[in-house]
Structure formats: structure tokens, C-alpha cells
């Protein structure tokens, strides 16, 4: 279990693509981009880009341990979700107003790691969050999402993207 501070530290670590030649193919339903940190070589991460029948798009960053991974951030477009209905002392103040909030499919949201809860069980509407991409309407939005997500997690190398028809 990570603390909130440890999760923020891991998100803020400078990261590089593990394979600088890796190409994200937007025509695939799932892409996994492996990352490393030059500041903490033993730390490994991955970005996962997933599309399925229930959710148009999930973009997430995970901290990879030897036998498990912990979700640190995830952005969902066209998915439903409900936040927990209870608070524990580790819950950051800014999340308290979203207690028991239900997210409709038309309400894009960002999931945030919170100590003491299952990973990524808390979410905030993207409309209330400082993130540049609020919706996905065309291929260019998806490309911009990946670049802005990379900025958010301190990715120092540019993601190579093979576009597809949206």
C-alpha cells in the first residue's frame, strides 16, 4: 500500500519510454507503454490505453512492482463509476465533495490513487480538473490526450503514435 505522498512522488518522477522505438497503434484495442525512471532505476511503470464495449477509452498510469501493479491515475471517457460513500482520514480535502458521486457515461473523469482505498476508486469530473483534454471526438483528441497525459506523469520522451481512423 502506498501513501498519498508516495503516489504523488511516483507520478512526479521523470519517466522515459523503456523502448524508445515503441509505437502506439491507435487501431488496437489495447496498448501498453512501458516506462522507466532515470532517477529511480528500480521503479517501473506502464501506461495502458484501453478501449472496450463499456468504455470508449481508458488511459492509465501504473506503478509496476515485481509481482503486482498499483494504479496511480486513470482517465475514463464514456464510462460509468461511483465514488465511495465513506471517508477515512487519508482522503484529500478536494475529493470530499465527490463522496458517493455517480459518473454518467457522458461525464469524463479522472481516477486518483488515495491511500487506504482500493486503487483508483476515487474520481473527479474532468470538467473540474486541470487537464487540457476534456473529451474525445476525433483522432487528434486521442493523440493530444496521450501527449497531455505524458506531461501529467512527467514523461520526458515523446510517445510515438500510429494514428488510425476514429
Amino acid at each position: 500500500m502506498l501513501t498519498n505522498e508516495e503516489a504523488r512522488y511516483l507520478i512526479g518522477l521523470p519517466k522515459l519510454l523503456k523502448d524508445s522505438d515503441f509505437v502506439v497503434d491507435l487501431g488496437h484495442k489495447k496498448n501498453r507503454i512501458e516506462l522507466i525512471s532515470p532517477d529511480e532505476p528500480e521503479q517501473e511503470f506502464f501506461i495502458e490505453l484501453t478501449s472496450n464495449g463499456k468504455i470508449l477509452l481508458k488511459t492509465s498510469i501504473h506503478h509496476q512492482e515485481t509481482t503486482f501493479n498499483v494504479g496511480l491515475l486513470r482517465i475514463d471517457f464514456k464510462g460509468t463509476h461511483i465514488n465511495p460513500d465513506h471517508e477515512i482520514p487519508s482522503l484529500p480535502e478536494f475529493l470530499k465533495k465527490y463522496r458517493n458521486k455517480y459518473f454518467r457515461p457522458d461525464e469524463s473523469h479522472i481516477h486518483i490513487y488515495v491511500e487506504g482505498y482500493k486503487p483508483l476508486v476515487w474520481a473527479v469530473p474532468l470538467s473540474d480538473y486541470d487537464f487540457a483534454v476534456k473529451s474525445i471526438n476525433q483522432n487528434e483528441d486521442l493523440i493530444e490526450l496521450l501527449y497531455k497525459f505524458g506531461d501529467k506523469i512527467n514523461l520526458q520522451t515523446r510517445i510515438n503514435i500510429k494514428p488510425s481512423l476514429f
Side-chain angles (χ1 to χ4, degrees):
M1 174 81 56
L2 299 172
T3 66
N4 291 337
E5 293 75 24
E6 289 168 330
R8 281 192 301 274
Y9 172 76
L10 292 170
I11 291 168
L13 275 176
K15 295 168 196 70
L16 304 171
L17 297 173
K18 190 171 186 176
D19 174 2
S20 61
D21 294 327
F22 180 80
V23 176
V24 171
D25 185 342
L26 296 181
H28 293 160
K29 293 215 176 265
K30 189 175 209 172
N31 284 276
R32 181 180 277 203
I33 307 162
E34 294 182 351
L35 310 173
I36 56 172
S37 176
D39 291 1
E40 299 268 357
E42 71 283 357
Q43 302 293 337
E44 293 186 14
F45 304 88
F46 63 89
I47 296 173
E48 199 160 76
L49 184 65
T50 309
S51 176
N52 64 39
K54 285 176 53 180
I55 297 179
L56 172 67
L57 181 71
K58 284 185 191 181
T59 305
S60 58
I61 176 76
H62 294 259
H63 174 242
Q64 182 71 45
E65 292 281 341
T66 305
T67 58
F68 70 96
N69 67 70
V70 176
L72 298 174
L73 279 178
R74 184 177 84 224
I75 299 175
D76 290 354
F77 292 93
K78 302 222 181 329
T80 61
H81 172 72
I82 189 162
N83 279 340
D85 63 358
H86 65 284
E87 296 177 16
I88 60 175
S90 61
L91 184 67
E93 191 64 38
F94 79 97
L95 286 172
K96 290 181 179 180
K97 71 180 182 177
Y98 302 109
R99 186 173 145 219
N100 206 36
K101 174 163 179 39
Y102 173 74
F103 292 88
R104 301 174 318 275
D106 63 343
E107 193 171 18
S108 302
H109 50 280
I110 185 165
H111 291 257
I112 300 166
Y113 177 90
V114 178
E115 174 185 355
Y117 292 92
K118 290 181 183 176
L120 302 179
V121 73
W122 280 93
V124 174
L126 276 180
S127 59
D128 293 353
Y129 196 82
D130 184 22
F131 189 76
V133 179
K134 305 290 186 191
S135 63
I136 302 289
N137 299 307
Q138 56 190 355
N139 220 26
E140 291 78 21
D141 297 334
L142 185 52
I143 293 168
E144 184 69 7
L145 167 73
L146 280 171
Y147 291 147
K148 293 300 182 188
F149 193 77
D151 292 344
K152 180 80 178 159
I153 64 165
N154 203 11
L155 183 60
Q156 305 290 301
T157 50
R158 189 127 168 121
I159 299 172
N160 304 307
I161 301 172
K162 176 183 174 185
S164 72
L165 296 176
F166 192 78

